[in-house]
Amino acid sequence: VLLLLLAIAVIGSMRLNALQTEITDLVGDKNFKVATSNDMIASLNLIGLTHRNMLIMRGDADLRDFAQTANEERTRLIKDLEALDGLSYGDEGERLLDDIKSSRQAFASLQQEFEGLIQQRNFDQAITIFSTTYRPAFLTYLDNLKKFIAYQTDLMRTTGRDAETLGKDSMTLLIGLAIAALLTGIGFAIFITRSITR
């Protein structure tokens, strides 16, 4: 009986540790990656909106405000990407993250070119770049972020299902061991009582 109770304690502890690992991975890793990627999409969309507004509202004060907003969002994007880069990934996760990095780099050079034309008040050329090269690079960057989020979301679903299965299996196993310990204890109690009575 004591061995069965010890087994319950050991197996229960191991299962709880495994479940805690799954939950930590789900909340602390994959959920963080998805949340950070969504923040990057928000910053990217704001940059695109700001640059489009530069083509519409061409006053000096407006352009200065737009340029400041774009710089602030670029800084946020860099910090978010650095946070993602500091985490661990499998092969597919690394590939998707590399796609984000390369598309960000390509889009960053186009932003610099676009804002340079705006500063020179060369709005016609800026409009041409915005429609021919800027927008496709923007959409590629955005699409790579969405693919990364979709991949991490699938991993979250898989981890959640694994954690749920582990919890159910652990409960069944522990209940089975507890019943076995109870029946063994009752059996020994009856046997010992009868032997003493005899």
Side-chain angles (χ1 to χ4, degrees), residues 2-18:
L2 291 176
L3 286 174
L4 282 171
L5 292 175
L6 180 62
I8 291 173
V10 171
I11 293 174
S13 177
M14 292 173 60
R15 291 290 181 126
L16 285 175
N17 284 335

Side-chain angles (χ1 to χ4, degrees), residues 41-62:
I41 287 179
S43 293
L44 181 61
N45 283 329
L46 186 53
I47 289 173
L49 180 63
T50 299
H51 285 160
R52 186 199 66 182
N53 289 341
M54 284 180 171
L55 298 174
I56 301 171
M57 304 169 66
R58 302 180 180 183
D60 291 341
D62 291 329

